[in-house]
Amino acid sequence: MSRQRLSRRESQVVTRMRLLDAAAEVFAEHGVAGASVERIADRAGYTRGAFYGHFADKDAVVAALLEERTRREREEVAQLAASEGDTWEALRSWHRERSAHLEEWLALRLELVRHALRRPRGERSVLAEREAYAREALTGAVAREPGTDTAEAAFTALIVHALEDGLAIQRAIDPDSVPPDAIVAATEIVLRGARTAGEPRDGD
């Protein structure tokens, strides 16, 4: 049976995704500054022309990577939250699976952050939007927890988001001391503390 030919639109989507995957690898290995358009295109198996047919420059690739990775993670977490069964156990399994590629993911994330911080403050909106988007997803999850003060959900989500970055760094440095699902245990502790803080004290 002959393989069905992709439509022009489908072919464009495949090419764009291959370029993004290649850029993620090259950025993690060489940094954004050390990555050339030629290297990214070659890694993806395309020409410079194919690259510029989808992206104006490397900054456009950085923005697209941040958007794509954030969208993908949010969809995965939303599916976990909506599934039947123990949500916390599902999250633990998700983090264990993701930890297999922790070093590559962390190298890319830190490189994208470093790249953004080298830009003028007014040009960091793409990274700021990505972070806000991630915190928004966490805020929704935190607000659904029984006994959690909705007014404090956003700040609790900020703490969890920061913990995730910190624990990822610690696990990459010393994986024997930091379990792959440490962020889930840390989140439970933070939520427990938030609920306790919201409980009335004796005499109130």
Side-chain angles (χ1 to χ4, degrees):
M1 181 179 296
S2 60
R3 182 178 300 175
Q4 185 177 1
R5 187 172 183 177
L6 296 177
S7 67
R8 177 177 175 78
R9 175 57 183 164
E10 290 171 334
S11 179
Q12 289 176 335
V13 171
V14 169
T15 300
R16 186 177 186 276
M17 290 307 301
R18 286 180 178 173
L19 286 167
L20 282 176
D21 288 342
E25 294 175 4
V26 175
F27 288 165
E29 293 170 7
H30 304 281
V32 176
S36 65
V37 169
E38 290 81 1
R39 179 171 281 170
I40 294 172
D42 184 66
R43 179 70 63 88
Y46 298 114
T47 63
R48 281 171 52 94
F51 178 95
Y52 286 116
H54 292 269
F55 303 104
D57 50 31
K58 285 195 297 183
D59 281 343
V61 177
V62 170
L65 270 176
L66 287 169
E67 180 181 354
E68 174 61 22
R69 293 301 171 98
T70 302
R71 180 196 62 77
R72 189 184 305 173
E73 287 188 5
R74 185 170 185 175
E75 287 180 353
E76 290 175 355
V77 173
Q79 289 175 0
L80 291 175
S83 63
E84 297 181 357
D86 189 334
T87 300
W88 288 110
E89 185 54 42
L91 280 170
R92 288 188 185 92
S93 297
W94 183 69
H95 279 283
R96 291 186 197 115
E97 292 174 4
R98 196 172 68 153
S99 70
H101 307 285
L102 175 63
E103 291 187 12
E104 296 92 331
W105 172 84
L106 183 60
L108 174 62
R109 174 163 169 71
L110 294 178
E111 179 54 38
L112 295 179
V113 169
R114 185 173 69 167
H115 176 71
L117 293 179
R118 287 176 171 173
R119 314 283 298 177
R121 187 175 294 275
E123 297 180 16
R124 301 175 188 174
S125 60
V126 172
L127 180 62
E129 288 171 4
R130 189 274 180 202
E131 296 301 298
Y133 193 56
R135 292 197 303 272
E136 180 186 339
L138 285 170
T139 299
V142 170
R144 289 195 297 270
E145 281 295 303
T148 301
D149 188 337
T150 304
E152 296 179 351
F155 187 66
T156 302
L158 173 63
I159 295 172
V160 171
H161 192 43
L163 280 172
E164 184 173 12
D165 279 344
L167 286 169
I169 291 172
Q170 294 302 314
R171 176 163 172 75
I173 294 172
D174 188 6
D176 293 334
S177 299
V178 182
D181 55 356
I183 182 57
V184 180
T187 301
E188 290 177 312
I189 291 173
V190 171
L191 290 175
R192 193 182 309 136
R195 287 193 291 267
T196 302
E199 294 175 355
R201 300 178 181 178
D202 293 340
D204 289 349

